[in-house]
PDB file of all heavy atoms in Angstrom:
ATOM      1  N   TRP A  63       6.499  13.738   1.436  1.00  0.00           N
ATOM      2  CA  TRP A  63       7.303  12.478   1.335  1.00  0.00           C
ATOM      3  C   TRP A  63       6.349  11.486   0.683  1.00  0.00           C
ATOM      4  O   TRP A  63       5.265  11.273   1.315  1.00  0.00           O
ATOM      5  CB  TRP A  63       7.800  12.005   2.621  1.00  0.00           C
ATOM      6  CG  TRP A  63       8.445  10.685   2.596  1.00  0.00           C
ATOM      7  CD1 TRP A  63       8.992   9.908   1.559  1.00  0.00           C
ATOM      8  CD2 TRP A  63       8.700   9.836   3.780  1.00  0.00           C
ATOM      9  NE1 TRP A  63       9.475   8.795   1.929  1.00  0.00           N
ATOM     10  CE2 TRP A  63       9.341   8.737   3.316  1.00  0.00           C
ATOM     11  CE3 TRP A  63       8.489   9.956   5.161  1.00  0.00           C
ATOM     12  CZ2 TRP A  63       9.697   7.655   4.208  1.00  0.00           C
ATOM     13  CZ3 TRP A  63       8.845   8.956   6.041  1.00  0.00           C
ATOM     14  CH2 TRP A  63       9.472   7.824   5.534  1.00  0.00           C
ATOM     15  N   VAL A  64       6.692  10.846  -0.454  1.00  0.00           N
ATOM     16  CA  VAL A  64       5.995   9.849  -1.083  1.00  0.00           C
ATOM     17  C   VAL A  64       6.590   8.508  -0.869  1.00  0.00           C
ATOM     18  O   VAL A  64       7.812   8.357  -1.183  1.00  0.00           O
ATOM     19  CB  VAL A  64       5.778  10.147  -2.582  1.00  0.00           C
ATOM     20  CG1 VAL A  64       4.967   9.079  -3.324  1.00  0.00           C
ATOM     21  CG2 VAL A  64       5.154  11.494  -2.838  1.00  0.00           C
ATOM     22  N   THR A  65       5.852   7.556  -0.411  1.00  0.00           N
ATOM     23  CA  THR A  65       6.420   6.185  -0.084  1.00  0.00           C
ATOM     24  C   THR A  65       5.310   5.103  -0.109  1.00  0.00           C
ATOM     25  O   THR A  65       4.139   5.383   0.084  1.00  0.00           O
ATOM     26  CB  THR A  65       7.112   6.185   1.224  1.00  0.00           C
ATOM     27  OG1 THR A  65       7.631   4.850   1.520  1.00  0.00           O
ATOM     28  CG2 THR A  65       6.183   6.522   2.464  1.00  0.00           C
ATOM     29  N   LEU A  66       5.680   3.926  -0.217  1.00  0.00           N
ATOM     30  CA  LEU A  66       4.706   2.774  -0.134  1.00  0.00           C
ATOM     31  C   LEU A  66       4.812   2.199   1.279  1.00  0.00           C
ATOM     32  O   LEU A  66       4.061   1.272   1.668  1.00  0.00           O
ATOM     33  CB  LEU A  66       4.815   1.783  -1.281  1.00  0.00           C
ATOM     34  CG  LEU A  66       6.093   1.048  -1.466  1.00  0.00           C
ATOM     35  CD1 LEU A  66       6.462   0.054  -0.463  1.00  0.00           C
ATOM     36  CD2 LEU A  66       6.168   0.470  -2.918  1.00  0.00           C
ATOM     37  N   GLN A  67       5.713   2.601   2.071  1.00  0.00           N
ATOM     38  CA  GLN A  67       5.847   2.174   3.421  1.00  0.00           C
ATOM     39  C   GLN A  67       4.822   2.610   4.299  1.00  0.00           C
ATOM     40  O   GLN A  67       4.343   3.846   4.159  1.00  0.00           O
ATOM     41  CB  GLN A  67       7.270   2.580   4.062  1.00  0.00           C
ATOM     42  CG  GLN A  67       8.472   2.141   3.218  1.00  0.00           C
ATOM     43  CD  GLN A  67       8.730   0.705   3.379  1.00  0.00           C
ATOM     44  OE1 GLN A  67       8.291   0.015   4.234  1.00  0.00           O
ATOM     45  NE2 GLN A  67       9.602   0.242   2.498  1.00  0.00           N
ATOM     46  N   ALA A  68       4.406   1.803   5.275  1.00  0.00           N
ATOM     47  CA  ALA A  68       3.191   2.246   6.168  1.00  0.00           C
ATOM     48  C   ALA A  68       3.410   1.711   7.510  1.00  0.00           C
ATOM     49  O   ALA A  68       2.440   1.409   8.144  1.00  0.00           O
ATOM     50  CB  ALA A  68       1.895   1.717   5.524  1.00  0.00           C
ATOM     51  N   HIS A  69       4.573   1.759   8.047  1.00  0.00           N
ATOM     52  CA  HIS A  69       4.834   1.257   9.375  1.00  0.00           C
ATOM     53  C   HIS A  69       5.326   2.319  10.334  1.00  0.00           C
ATOM     54  O   HIS A  69       5.529   3.492   9.920  1.00  0.00           O
ATOM     55  CB  HIS A  69       5.836   0.082   9.325  1.00  0.00           C
ATOM     56  CG  HIS A  69       7.121   0.443   8.580  1.00  0.00           C
ATOM     57  ND1 HIS A  69       8.105   1.174   9.135  1.00  0.00           N
ATOM     58  CD2 HIS A  69       7.463   0.134   7.339  1.00  0.00           C
ATOM     59  CE1 HIS A  69       9.030   1.359   8.139  1.00  0.00           C
ATOM     60  NE2 HIS A  69       8.722   0.639   7.078  1.00  0.00           N
ATOM     61  N   MET A  70       5.546   2.048  11.619  1.00  0.00           N
ATOM     62  CA  MET A  70       5.774   2.891  12.624  1.00  0.00           C
ATOM     63  C   MET A  70       7.131   3.732  12.327  1.00  0.00           C
ATOM     64  O   MET A  70       7.198   4.913  12.671  1.00  0.00           O
ATOM     65  CB  MET A  70       6.006   2.228  13.983  1.00  0.00           C
ATOM     66  CG  MET A  70       6.032   3.133  15.179  1.00  0.00           C
ATOM     67  SD  MET A  70       4.436   4.025  15.456  1.00  0.00           S
ATOM     68  CE  MET A  70       3.445   2.778  16.250  1.00  0.00           C
ATOM     69  N   ASN A  71       8.120   3.160  11.658  1.00  0.00           N
ATOM     70  CA  ASN A  71       9.349   3.903  11.434  1.00  0.00           C
ATOM     71  C   ASN A  71       9.146   5.071  10.408  1.00  0.00           C
ATOM     72  O   ASN A  71       9.862   5.991  10.516  1.00  0.00           O
ATOM     73  CB  ASN A  71      10.438   2.953  10.974  1.00  0.00           C
ATOM     74  CG  ASN A  71      10.938   2.046  12.034  1.00  0.00           C
ATOM     75  OD1 ASN A  71      10.761   2.309  13.201  1.00  0.00           O
ATOM     76  ND2 ASN A  71      11.572   0.981  11.616  1.00  0.00           N
ATOM     77  N   VAL A  72       8.088   4.991   9.597  1.00  0.00           N
ATOM     78  CA  VAL A  72       7.790   6.078   8.805  1.00  0.00           C
ATOM     79  C   VAL A  72       7.439   7.401   9.588  1.00  0.00           C
ATOM     80  O   VAL A  72       7.787   8.440   9.239  1.00  0.00           O
ATOM     81  CB  VAL A  72       6.615   5.761   7.765  1.00  0.00           C
ATOM     82  CG1 VAL A  72       6.058   6.870   7.036  1.00  0.00           C
ATOM     83  CG2 VAL A  72       7.098   4.695   6.775  1.00  0.00           C
ATOM     84  N   VAL A  73       6.619   7.170  10.649  1.00  0.00           N
ATOM     85  CA  VAL A  73       6.257   8.224  11.561  1.00  0.00           C
ATOM     86  C   VAL A  73       7.575   8.870  12.074  1.00  0.00           C
ATOM     87  O   VAL A  73       7.631  10.075  12.187  1.00  0.00           O
ATOM     88  CB  VAL A  73       5.315   7.840  12.614  1.00  0.00           C
ATOM     89  CG1 VAL A  73       4.941   8.848  13.512  1.00  0.00           C
ATOM     90  CG2 VAL A  73       3.971   7.230  11.935  1.00  0.00           C
ATOM     91  N   ALA A  74       8.422   8.084  12.640  1.00  0.00           N
ATOM     92  CA  ALA A  74       9.659   8.589  13.252  1.00  0.00           C
ATOM     93  C   ALA A  74      10.475   9.399  12.331  1.00  0.00           C
ATOM     94  O   ALA A  74      10.963  10.476  12.606  1.00  0.00           O
ATOM     95  CB  ALA A  74      10.428   7.412  13.793  1.00  0.00           C
ATOM     96  N   VAL A  75      10.640   8.847  11.126  1.00  0.00           N
ATOM     97  CA  VAL A  75      11.445   9.564  10.107  1.00  0.00           C
ATOM     98  C   VAL A  75      10.763  10.894   9.611  1.00  0.00           C
ATOM     99  O   VAL A  75      11.392  11.952   9.491  1.00  0.00           O
ATOM    100  CB  VAL A  75      11.780   8.643   8.853  1.00  0.00           C
ATOM    101  CG1 VAL A  75      12.400   9.473   7.699  1.00  0.00           C
ATOM    102  CG2 VAL A  75      12.661   7.557   9.345  1.00  0.00           C
TER     103      VAL A  75
END
Side-chain angles (χ1 to χ4, degrees):
W63 174 20
V64 179
T65 182
L66 55 76
Q67 302 286 346
H69 50 77
M70 192 67 77
N71 289 341
V72 168
V73 175
V75 170

